[in-house]
């Protein structure tokens, strides 16, 4: 029951659900470690049609709870270390009066399809979804652009997870500019049994000597995307974190090689890994790659998906539901 001390309360929805997409980095140029503990990036993100759904429901007390369903749900933290939890807390702190005078808490539910700790921004996507849902719950402006500053406080990939499409990310990856992309891309993704920690991969990148000046904007890739030239896109895909991810998980090399051998246009590690991403020409190519790599013992699961996808989107639902 919603108490009646705020006359606008009854006009507010009780639950808002947001659909968020995974991402792959088409290019991930990484510079040297900066004094703030982050690496300057020039990355091109593409949102992919693999979706999580994040529902946020207001509570009458001040508690926050988090539950998870779907693929690998048992690997997702259900406490304040989950970025989605922190997103709701951030909205509550920043917009205390709009959120509700009684200090409403929230129940967060995440239905997962995006691989967990797989280099596909699953946690960041959930944070973007929770941010948009919490903002919508208290009737704040919730367009992706307006939520960008809060998103950047939560994590480097969260701003892109709000906007989706294809974008160049600079700074920590949070300063975004849209990239025109003609045509769509077909992908196969091969996930691993065990995730990789993003900070650990960046650390190994430093230990291996880094790529000084790596944060150069990939103009060839951007031009290929704008022309819709699939072969030129395939030839321009790159990931400076790949060597570090393979150094931590040598078995990934074989996954990439097998995908290439059966006809993937390009095979690369997705973001900080360990998911391997294969760009393919058509459905037949996707089937071949998927069948070949799914036989490998180090591959947990394969998924085919298209990109680019939209960013965070409110799902229709009755007010008060
Ligand atoms: O921003 P996010 O929480 O995703 O970053 C996780 C970790 O990854 C950071 O603490 C940092 O160690 C590393 N990172 C980095 N440079 C970036 C982005 C992330 O070193 N541009």
């Amino acid at each position: 029951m919603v108490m009646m001390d705020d006359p606008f309360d009854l006009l507010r929805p009780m639950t808002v659900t947001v659909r968020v997409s995974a991402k792959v980095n088409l290019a991930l140029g990484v510079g040297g470690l900066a004094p703030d503990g982050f690496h300057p990036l020039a990355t091109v993100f593409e949102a992919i049609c693999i979706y999580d759904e994040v529902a946020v429901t207001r509570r009458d007390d001040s508690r926050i709870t988090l539950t998870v369903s779907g693929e690998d749900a048992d690997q997702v933290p259900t406490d304040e270390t989950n970025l989605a939890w922190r997103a709701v807390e951030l909205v509550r702190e920043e917009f205390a009066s709009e959120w509700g005078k009684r200090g409403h808490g929230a129940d967060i539910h995440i239905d997962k399809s995006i691989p967990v700790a797989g280099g596909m921004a699953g946690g960041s996507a959930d944070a973007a979804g929770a941010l948009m849902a919490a903002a919508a719950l208290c009737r704040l402006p919730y367009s992706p652009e307006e939520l960008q500053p809060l998103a950047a406080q939560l994590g480097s990939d969260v701003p892109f997870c709000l906007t989706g499409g294809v974008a160049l990310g600079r700074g920590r990856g949070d300063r975004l500019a849209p990239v025109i992309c003609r045509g769509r891309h077909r992908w196969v993704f091969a996930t691993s049994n065990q995730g990789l920690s993003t900070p650990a991969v960046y650390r190994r990148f430093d230990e291996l000597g880094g790529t000084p000046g790596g944060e150069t904007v990939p103009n060839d890739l951007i031009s290929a995307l704008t022309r819709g030239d699939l072969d030129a896109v395939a030839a321009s895909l790159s990931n400076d974190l790949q060597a570090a991810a393979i150094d931590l998980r040598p078995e990934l090399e074989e996954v990439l090689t097998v995908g290439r051998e059966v006809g993937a246009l390009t095979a690369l590690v997705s973001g900080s890994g360990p998911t391997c991403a294969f760009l393919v020409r058509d459905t037949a190519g996707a089937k071949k790659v998927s069948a070949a790599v799914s036989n490998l013992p180090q591959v947990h699961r394969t998924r085919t998906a298209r990109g680019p996808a939209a960013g965070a989107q409110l799902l229709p639902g009755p007010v008060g539901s």
Side-chain angles (χ1 to χ4, degrees):
M1 246 324 260
V2 174
M3 286 150 56
M4 284 299 295
D5 58 342
D6 175 355
F8 292 107
D9 246 355
L10 286 178
L11 299 174
R12 302 185 195 193
M14 288 299 289
T15 298
V16 174
T17 305
V18 175
R19 191 181 76 166
V20 284
S21 46
K23 64 87 184 158
V24 63
N25 299 78
L26 303 181
L28 181 47
V30 184
L33 179 63
D36 65 0
F38 285 78
H39 296 73
L41 303 182
T43 185
V44 176
F45 295 104
E46 176 170 321
I48 298 295
C49 299
I50 298 176
Y51 301 109
D52 283 359
E53 284 185 15
V54 184
V56 180
T57 302
R58 289 194 294 149
R59 290 176 62 98
D60 284 339
D61 62 22
S62 60
R63 286 182 60 216
I64 295 179
T65 72
L66 196 152
T67 50
V68 186
S69 59
E71 285 176 28
D72 303 320
D74 55 329
Q75 294 173 36
V76 179
T78 53
D79 58 13
E80 68 280 0
T81 61
N82 190 307
L83 274 188
W85 182 303
R86 286 176 32 208
V88 170
E89 275 185 335
L90 189 60
V91 170
R92 191 163 71 168
E93 282 160 25
E94 291 280 320
F95 304 104
S97 54
E98 291 89 343
W99 180 257
K101 291 194 176 69
R102 295 187 313 279
H104 287 305
D107 295 321
I108 306 163
H109 182 75
I110 302 172
D111 191 29
K112 285 217 72 75
S113 290
I114 304 175
V116 178
M120 298 191 73
S124 302
D126 297 343
L131 192 62
M132 185 179 273
L137 272 182
C138 47
R139 295 181 306 172
L140 290 166
Y142 50 76
S143 76
E145 292 71 27
E146 286 158 314
L147 293 174
Q148 289 296 332
L150 287 186
Q153 287 183 46
L154 290 165
S156 310
D157 290 343
V158 183
F160 175 72
C161 292
L162 282 174
T163 55
V166 179
L168 172 67
R170 310 223 51 201
R172 297 177 176 185
D174 55 336
R175 281 178 17 225
L176 298 172
V179 170
I180 294 168
C181 175
R182 288 204 169 80
R184 304 198 72 199
H185 303 137
R186 274 173 219 267
W187 294 93
V188 176
F189 296 96
T191 63
S192 290
N193 295 318
Q194 215 195 339
L196 264 176
S197 135
T198 303
V201 176
Y202 274 104
R203 258 196 316 277
R204 184 55 57 96
F205 169 83
D206 294 332
E207 287 159 10
L208 293 174
T211 47
E215 71 278 29
T216 308
V217 173
N219 287 319
D220 287 355
L221 171 65
I222 291 171
S223 153
L225 288 165
T226 304
R227 296 195 312 274
D229 181 340
L230 181 63
D231 290 303
V233 169
S236 319
L237 298 184
S238 66
N239 181 358
D240 284 354
L241 292 182
Q242 181 161 309
I246 291 175
D247 198 62
L248 290 167
R249 293 283 169 76
E251 66 274 17
L252 295 179
E253 186 79 72
E254 185 187 18
V255 183
L256 297 175
T257 303
V258 167
R260 282 188 202 109
E261 280 172 0
V262 296
L265 298 175
T266 310
L268 81 171
V269 168
S270 176
S272 56
T275 300
C276 293
F278 305 91
L279 183 64
V280 294
R281 195 175 295 285
D282 48 27
T283 313
K287 280 189 181 148
K288 258 189 178 169
V289 170
S290 187
V293 298
S294 61
N295 282 329
L296 297 168
Q298 62 270 48
V299 170
H300 177 49
R301 198 178 272 141
T302 59
R303 302 279 297 268
T304 57
R306 294 221 190 183
Q313 288 189 313
L314 286 179
L315 293 183
V319 168
S321 64

